[in-house]
Amino acid sequence: MTSPLIEIKNLIKDYSTDDLVTNVLRGINFTIQPGEFVAIMGPSGSGKSTLMHILGFLDRPSSGDYIFEGKNVAEFSDDELAALRNKKIGFVFQSYNLLPRTTVLENVKLPLVYSGVSVKEMAENAEAAVKAVGLFHRLHHLSNQLSGGEQQRVAIARALVNDPKVIFADEPTGNLDSKSGTQIMGILERLNEEGHTIILVTHEQDTADHAKRIIKVRDGEIVADEMVASRRLVAKDGELKK
């Protein structure tokens, strides 16, 4: 059996302001294997976004262990975490986070700027990532000339360009109409089929049902961790399968 990609053991996250301590995560435990498609689901204030920030090396836990590829993340310096984040993690956010007056190609190349690859390789990798999300015909358009669905595809291409171990998608369909949202979930399904580990954060059951497994979080604790019995899957034409 393969080793877990991610192991979380008794993870706790507290925030302190003055004399007030807020418990955001209260002893979380789970593992994620390479190639899984997991949805972390919960209402606003449940702790799911805090958990994603810790999993994506954007924050550190107050206590407990986070083991990534067999190594305890607590042992890494902030600089090592930043390097690991750039190399191993791809992020897709609800708000796209693209540079508005910059072309699709330049936006997708951004994560490669500090990776040490040649200018030629940067362009080749970025073009391949844009092609993978079906936007090659928009390669030289400015991102603010694109629809919301197209901008989210660019964000996915940017997340893909370093060939990361994990793609985190935080409410990726939150700003999209249902058709565009379905197409985005179809892209994430296909990337998972190609071997990428996908961790989806959402408060919507319909979106979570595209995953293979759902971890439900409430008040900083896991209240359910189950495989999805009847997945919502997207056909090649971008429509939901019947």
Side-chain angles (χ1 to χ4, degrees):
M1 188 175 174
T2 57
S3 299
L5 177 66
I6 289 170
E7 286 183 88
I8 297 298
K9 300 177 181 178
N10 198 30
L11 201 74
I12 291 172
K13 181 65 178 180
D14 299 326
Y15 289 107
S16 300
T17 52
D18 299 325
D19 294 330
L20 183 67
V21 176
T22 304
N23 309 119
V24 182
L25 298 176
R26 308 161 182 256
I28 298 280
N29 293 278
F30 62 85
T31 61
I32 293 177
Q33 300 293 333
E36 281 204 77
F37 189 161
V38 180
I40 297 174
M41 186 182 169
S44 296
S46 61
K48 64 185 187 299
S49 293
T50 298
L51 178 58
M52 192 203 75
H53 286 154
I54 291 172
L55 294 177
F57 311 131
L58 293 167
D59 197 1
R60 292 181 184 266
S62 302
S63 64
D65 293 314
Y66 174 15
I67 314 296
F68 183 84
E69 293 188 315
K71 297 176 181 175
N72 196 322
V73 172
E75 297 172 4
F76 293 108
S77 68
D78 288 348
D79 286 347
E80 287 171 326
L81 277 189
L84 200 60
R85 185 167 61 242
N86 192 52
K87 187 177 180 183
K88 302 278 189 177
I89 306 292
F91 289 103
V92 181
F93 295 102
Q94 179 177 346
S95 54
Y96 324 133
N97 291 1
L98 302 178
L99 298 177
R101 296 180 188 82
T102 309
T103 66
V104 167
L105 179 63
E106 294 301 321
N107 266 288
V108 174
K109 280 162 63 173
L110 275 176
L112 297 171
V113 171
Y114 301 106
S115 64
V117 303
S118 68
V119 172
K120 180 173 179 286
E121 195 176 344
M122 279 173 61
E124 288 172 350
N125 290 357
E127 287 177 10
V130 174
K131 192 174 288 185
V133 299
L135 272 187
F136 199 72
H137 62 293
R138 298 284 209 191
L139 194 66
H140 299 294
H141 283 68
L142 300 181
S143 64
N144 60 0
Q145 296 174 324
L146 307 180
S147 68
E150 287 172 331
Q151 289 186 59
Q152 193 61 294
R153 287 179 184 228
V154 176
I156 293 173
R158 184 183 57 196
L160 268 180
V161 75
N162 265 338
D163 192 24
K165 287 284 185 180
V166 188
I167 295 174
F168 287 98
D170 188 5
E171 303 281 8
T173 62
N175 286 342
L176 304 177
D177 61 67
S178 58
K179 183 176 181 181
S180 297
T182 298
Q183 291 170 345
I184 291 301
M185 294 312 300
I187 292 172
L188 292 177
E189 286 172 14
R190 181 166 49 78
L191 293 174
N192 178 243
E193 287 165 8
E194 292 170 0
H196 291 278
T197 304
I198 310 288
I199 299 178
L200 168 71
V201 176
T202 183
H203 66 279
E204 296 177 344
Q205 186 70 53
D206 284 354
T207 303
D209 282 343
H210 286 270
K212 296 175 181 174
R213 171 185 169 198
I214 299 176
I215 297 173
K216 291 185 177 178
V217 181
R218 183 177 293 276
D219 298 328
E221 298 178 338
I222 292 177
V223 294
D225 184 349
E226 301 167 339
M227 303 306 291
V228 178
S230 182
R231 292 179 69 198
R232 288 166 64 90
L233 295 170
V234 183
K236 288 184 178 179
D237 63 1
E239 300 290 335
L240 280 172
K241 289 183 180 179
K242 304 298 184 197

